[in-house]
Amino acid sequence: MLAIQNYLLPETLEEAYKALIEKRNNKILGGCGFLRMGSQKIGTAIDLSNLNLDFIAEGENIVEIGAMTTFRQVETSSVMKKYFDGILPKSVEHIVGVQLRNIVTVGATVYSRYGFSDFITALLCLEAKVVLHSGGEILLEEFLKNGVERDILIKIIIPKSNRRAVFKMMRNSKSDYAILNISVSKLDKDWKIVVGARPQRAEIAKEASSYLTNSNETVEEIEHAAMLAVNELTFGSNMRGSKEYRRSICKVLIKRAILEVLS
Ligand SMILES: Cc1cc2nc3c(=O)[nH]c(=O)nc-3n(C[C@H](O)[C@H](O)[C@H](O)COP(=O)(O)OP(=O)(O)OC[C@H]3O[C@@H](n4cnc5c(N)ncnc54)[C@H](O)[C@@H]3O)c2cc1C
């Protein structure tokens, strides 16, 4: 069972951060979807609910998503549906059920860098950045690779563009985690191919993306790009699927996603 000694509802981010770094067992609360499933003892539970971090805002050149925004807000937002072929709503709409999506938050998901995450895989093909209270602005790609010292994720920033994007995943049943998820995006000639839940966390297939960017986008070249992605990324086995199975479906999902972007 989750045990909480003290509860703090800070009025400022500075107050929240100070409390977070004060003691190792002090914790930020997101929607508590995962926290409540564990049995840890939290010293001070820091609730960000009063800090106005549940927003989706459209600026002149960017779209911003606050850390306390829920998956359901992402799913139903007209701004999110308008850009990038609605890849972000599409990446979360199948996760368990509306009740769960009403509580789980963008900030907790991205900060925790979950390997299985559908949302992170979709976000990574959009050149997104994360904004941390202490660490400032960092490219999501770098954040996923290196992580950071204890910090608070405040918001996500996505450059606004006409980037086309498609998300695909394979799962055994609706309420289970994905066996593999992928996202593919294209802006002008620039392609990005991302694969997550391998089961390791999402990564851009650099060689495959660059090959496709410099290709004529023929079916043979698309198949070759999918093959390059499978060869350059590492895959593993777990209870959901073997690495061989993941490699096989990866090729198929990438090809389908590229053809969908081009359609
Ligand atoms: C039953 C169940 C099934 C799920 N299935 C899927 C699935 O199929 N696909 C999928 O992609 N995801 C799935 N998820 C994960 C879900 O989408 C969220 O990623 C997860 O629940 C974490 O979000 P939360 O708001 O519940 O975080 P919490 O449980 O509140 O927090 C998780 C961690 O993040 C930290 N944290 C919270 N907010 C911040 C912040 N702003 N800055 C820094 N640290 C912070 C907390 O201290 C904690 O360590 C599932 C979750 C559950 C509970």
Side-chain angles (χ1 to χ4, degrees):
M1 204 177 71
L2 177 68
I4 294 176
Q5 264 178 323
N6 308 302
Y7 170 80
L8 180 68
L9 190 63
E11 291 301 325
T12 64
L13 269 167
E14 197 48 51
E15 187 188 350
Y17 181 69
K18 221 172 123 201
L20 177 68
I21 56 169
E22 209 165 61
K23 268 192 171 173
R24 273 229 75 79
N25 69 343
N26 292 356
K27 281 244 163 205
I28 302 289
L29 304 180
C32 293
F34 265 0
L35 278 174
R36 78 175 73 187
M37 293 206 307
S39 59
Q40 54 182 307
K41 288 196 174 106
I42 297 181
T44 299
I46 306 156
D47 183 349
L48 306 180
S49 297
N50 266 2
L51 300 179
N52 301 317
L53 295 177
D54 58 332
F55 62 84
I56 295 174
E58 186 178 357
E60 204 180 324
N61 303 310
I62 53 170
V63 177
E64 295 185 323
I65 312 174
M68 291 298 278
T69 306
T70 65
F71 277 8
R72 183 66 178 161
Q73 286 173 285
V74 170
E75 185 186 346
T76 54
S77 153
S78 55
V79 176
M80 292 284 104
K81 286 181 189 167
K82 191 161 85 179
Y83 291 102
F84 322 115
D85 299 313
I87 188 175
L88 294 177
K90 284 176 189 163
S91 73
V92 297
E93 67 190 8
H94 55 272
I95 294 174
V96 186
V98 171
Q99 284 151 319
L100 184 85
R101 300 199 295 276
N102 263 332
I103 61 159
V104 300
T105 58
V106 163
T109 299
V110 176
Y111 188 81
S112 302
R113 304 189 297 152
Y114 301 121
F116 57 78
S117 173
D118 298 307
F119 183 73
I120 291 176
T121 295
L123 201 57
L124 189 55
C125 77
L126 303 179
E127 301 182 302
K129 290 177 180 166
V130 300
V131 180
L132 300 152
H133 177 70
S134 166
E137 211 172 287
I138 311 177
L139 258 183
L140 173 65
E141 186 185 355
E142 195 184 315
F143 173 75
L144 290 176
K145 223 173 261 168
N146 305 325
V148 284
E149 288 286 305
R150 297 185 91 199
D151 210 331
I152 302 175
L153 194 149
I154 302 170
K155 64 182 173 183
I156 307 288
I157 300 179
I158 310 170
K160 224 161 74 173
S161 68
N162 294 322
R163 191 171 273 281
R164 304 281 323 269
V166 167
F167 172 81
K168 297 226 171 278
M169 50 72 189
M170 171 74 194
R171 58 216 312 132
N172 275 336
S173 71
K174 204 171 178 315
S175 58
D176 201 0
Y177 294 117
I179 301 169
L180 193 86
N181 52 36
I182 67 130
S183 68
V184 166
S185 74
K186 185 188 187 201
L187 177 63
D188 303 324
K189 273 296 284 174
D190 179 53
W191 285 90
K192 297 231 177 312
I193 299 172
V194 174
V195 187
R198 296 171 288 117
Q200 298 95 320
R201 67 177 67 102
E203 211 179 310
I204 300 177
K206 290 277 173 60
E207 205 184 324
S209 304
S210 140
Y211 172 81
L212 198 56
T213 298
N214 295 305
S215 76
N216 294 316
E217 299 164 354
T218 64
V219 173
E220 291 72 28
E221 286 169 321
I222 290 168
E223 280 169 356
H224 188 64
M227 179 57 88
L228 285 176
V230 169
N231 289 339
E232 74 179 278
L233 296 171
T234 52
F235 293 80
S237 304
N238 63 6
M239 59 184 284
R240 288 190 178 77
S242 67
K243 65 178 170 201
E244 291 79 15
Y245 181 61
R246 286 191 160 95
R247 287 167 66 94
S248 301
I249 58 174
C250 185
K251 249 185 302 180
V252 179
L253 293 182
I254 289 176
K255 181 180 169 188
R256 281 185 195 165
I258 295 171
L259 290 173
E260 208 171 306
V261 167
L262 288 171
S263 66

